[in-house]
Structures are given as structure tokens and as C-alpha cells.
Amino acid sequence: MKLKRRITKRGRIEIIPLIDTILILLIFYMSFSSFEAKEKRIDAKMPLISKTMTPGTQFELDLTLHVYNQSNILVNGASYDAEGLREQMKLFTTTPDQPVTVIIEGEPDTNYQAIISALDACAQAKLTKVAFRPLPEKAAAPAAAPAAPAP
Amino acid sequence: MKVKRRIVKRGRIEIIPLIDTIVILLIFYMTFSRFSEAQRESALKLPESRAGDEFKMLPQQIIVNMYSSDEVSIGGVKCKVAELPAIIRNYYANLANTAPDLALKLKAGEVKPSIILRGDRKMSYRDLSDFMRVCAKTDLREFLPANSAPGITEVTFTAQEVR
């Protein structure tokens, strides 16, 4: 009896579908990698502390953060950088009998990143009562130099 | 003379490239629709922070993208910070038509008007101060319960997680 030889199919890689798949995966990862950094939210109630505040509004002014820049944040007169501030703020704890209110104020050219770092330090220390002291509405224009007296 | 007949090629649709193209378009639109829906501008460079919760937008919140006092955008519309009160008032006034349930909740005091600030990290405190003052001055009392504070009292700051 003559035995029939089994035909073995040779496997081969299909190049075109492979390129298509790689391209799709590439687009997918490129799209999502740019948004990889997670966005976070830091909630804040917004009482503004200013001279024009309506009478009757009371704030417990416990702690004032004056932000000059990322490496110079004054807390009740002492200067800290963003890292040092995180450690310092953990010393202040809010209890039901003694709530801590933090007032953040800055210079006109203080970077927003530095303000958020101060807010971040408060959030990490679980200090949620945060208020901002806004700058005066219009910066006073520099006084004009007096005219030289006539000889 | 024998006239040669022109051979007409029959057109046919190639299925595999069609599927490839559809999948690519689907991924593209799925990716970008998410960000347009959230009113968030991806060009904006947010400051970095360690603390904070996962980003979540509540129905009564408006997203304000801010580069400076002169360059603010809400829902793709560019404006200045001084023009914000009119836009915010307009938004809450339109709620009666677009989301009547939400308008009723606001009037009953169940929810509070709130803004999500997405500020650029290069923005200054002067810009933030202008924004906060505008929020405090925006009079929304007609959409809120009687004896409510006039301005927006809740602001959510957003930041990017430190990598």
C-alpha cells in the first residue's frame, strides 16, 4: 500500500498586517503617554482677606505664609523652601477645638508654582482652611520725579 | 480596421485597509473627544503638587484655563479676566434652560457655584489675585438662595502630579 505523505505548511510572517498593528499600537501609546501625568485637584474655600472685606466677616488669623518664590516662603517670620515648608506645616495640626487658618499672600511677581507649592504643603498637613490675601487692586504708580526748579 | 475595445477596470473596495483606517480614526477621536469634553486645554502647563485628590468635575463647576490676566479661556472661548463675571453669570443664567434640575439645586442651596482654575505655572500672583477678586465680585445672588454670599466662594486649584 502506498502511504500518502502529509503536506506540511510552512509558517510565514505576514508583513503588511504586522506593520498595521505596530502603527496602531504606536499611535495608541503616543497619544496616551503625553497625558500620563495625572491631574490633581486641591479644593479651597475662597475667603479673601482684604481691607475692603465686608464688616462682620471674622477669620482666625493663625498662620500667614508670605510666598516670595519657591525657595523663600516666610511662615510667621521664618524662611523655608518648599521642602522645608512641608515639614514645618506638619507641626501645625487642626483640632476641632483649635482650628488653624492659613493665609497665603504673595508678591506681584511671585510664581504661581510657588503659590501652589505653599497650598500643597497645607494640603499635605491636612490644613484645609486656606484663604488668600489679594494684592491691592491697582499697584500704585511710581511717583513722577519732581521737575527740576528753574535756575 | 479592427477597433480595440477599451478594457474597463471594475472598481472594488479594499476591505483590510478600510478597517485599518477606521480603527485609526476611532482611536484618534476617542482620545481627543475626552479632552474636548472636559474643557481642558492640554497646551497649558500646570504647576506640580504632591497632595490632592483625583481630578473630578462636578456638574455645577466651570473650568477656567488661565495663562495670565489677559489670556483666559473658558470652553475654548478666549477672554480677559475682567470679562469673566459676565461669562460666569451667563453660564449660570443659561442653566435654567440647559440643566433645569441643577438650576433648582443651586437655588435651593444644595450645591454651590464653583470654579476649577487651571492656571499656567508661569502665571504670577498678580494674575491669581485679579482672578480671585473677580470671583469674589461676580454677583450670582439671583441664582442662589436668599442671603447668600454674592461671589463664588469655592475654587478648585488643579495641579499636575509630581513624577
Side-chain angles (χ1 to χ4, degrees):
Chain A
M1 196 184 107
K2 198 180 175 185
L3 285 174
K4 218 178 182 179
R5 199 169 177 181
R6 196 191 291 170
I7 302 159
T8 318
K9 268 194 176 179
R10 278 193 68 195
R12 62 175 190 145
I13 295 169
E14 291 286 344
I15 299 295
I16 295 170
L18 182 73
I19 293 170
D20 290 348
T21 315
I22 290 171
L23 191 71
I24 288 169
L25 287 174
L26 188 74
I27 291 172
F28 181 83
Y29 286 114
M30 275 173 69
S31 307
F32 285 95
S33 66
S34 57
F35 301 107
E36 195 189 67
K38 271 189 186 172
E39 200 165 323
K40 290 184 149 196
R41 55 181 285 158
I42 306 172
D43 295 315
K45 301 272 178 208
M46 242 198 17
L48 298 180
I49 316 290
S50 72
K51 284 175 186 170
T52 56
M53 206 73 211
T54 49
T57 314
Q58 293 287 319
F59 294 100
E60 293 161 46
L61 303 178
D62 291 319
L63 206 58
T64 302
L65 304 188
H66 192 99
V67 187
Y68 287 96
N69 54 48
Q70 191 91 345
S71 53
N72 188 9
I73 301 169
L74 289 186
V75 184
N76 291 345
S79 174
Y80 300 92
D81 63 359
E83 282 298 319
L85 183 70
R86 271 192 198 99
E87 296 305 314
Q88 185 62 28
M89 295 304 279
K90 283 175 189 165
L91 302 177
F92 299 99
T93 49
T94 295
T95 57
D97 345 318
Q98 197 182 14
V100 178
T101 304
V102 181
I103 312 292
I104 297 179
E105 56 185 24
E107 294 293 307
D109 57 348
T110 300
N111 207 288
Y112 183 56
Q113 172 65 69
I115 300 290
I116 291 295
S117 296
L119 197 61
D120 184 22
C122 296
Q124 280 195 319
K126 312 256 184 265
L127 299 172
T128 51
K129 285 180 86 178
V130 179
F132 291 90
R133 192 189 305 277
L135 293 165
E137 199 143 353
K138 277 181 186 172
Chain B
M1 196 186 110
K2 198 179 175 185
V3 178
K4 219 176 181 180
R5 200 169 174 183
R6 197 193 291 169
I7 303 159
V8 184
K9 269 193 174 178
R10 279 192 68 194
R12 62 175 190 144
I13 296 168
E14 293 284 345
I15 299 294
I16 294 169
L18 182 73
I19 293 170
D20 291 348
T21 317
I22 289 170
V23 170
I24 289 172
L25 286 174
L26 188 73
I27 291 173
F28 180 84
Y29 286 113
M30 275 172 68
T31 309
F32 287 95
S33 67
R34 198 182 133 205
F35 293 100
S36 64
E37 185 187 87
Q39 306 169 39
R40 289 187 269 172
E41 286 195 3
S42 53
L44 200 118
K45 285 192 176 168
L46 292 172
E48 291 182 328
S49 89
R50 289 186 186 169
D53 303 320
E54 197 183 332
F55 184 87
K56 198 175 85 182
M57 186 186 171
L58 301 171
Q60 76 275 15
Q61 287 187 311
I62 306 173
I63 295 182
V64 174
N65 298 287
M66 189 171 175
Y67 296 89
S68 70
S69 295
D70 295 330
E71 202 181 347
V72 179
S73 106
I74 299 184
V77 179
K78 303 257 179 207
C79 63
K80 289 185 177 182
V81 83
E83 295 161 6
L84 278 178
I87 296 170
I88 294 169
R89 272 184 57 80
N90 212 17
Y91 172 82
Y92 285 106
N94 282 340
L95 273 186
N97 302 321
T98 55
D101 292 348
L102 189 58
L104 288 173
K105 279 183 180 174
L106 271 170
K107 193 72 189 165
E110 289 172 32
V111 292
K112 283 184 177 176
S114 169
I115 286 183
I116 296 176
L117 176 65
R118 297 183 77 246
D120 193 276
R121 65 176 72 162
K122 286 182 181 166
M123 192 170 101
S124 68
Y125 190 65
R126 163 70 62 200
D127 298 322
L128 181 65
S129 183
D130 290 346
F131 169 78
M132 291 188 297
R133 191 174 283 108
V134 157
C135 284
K137 279 183 182 171
T138 306
D139 193 357
L140 299 172
R141 277 178 289 188
E142 62 185 282
F143 315 113
L144 303 175
N147 305 323
S148 295
I152 286 180
T153 52
E154 287 185 8
V155 169
T156 298
F157 294 88
T158 60
Q160 190 177 297
E161 188 177 43
V162 179
R163 290 190 194 189

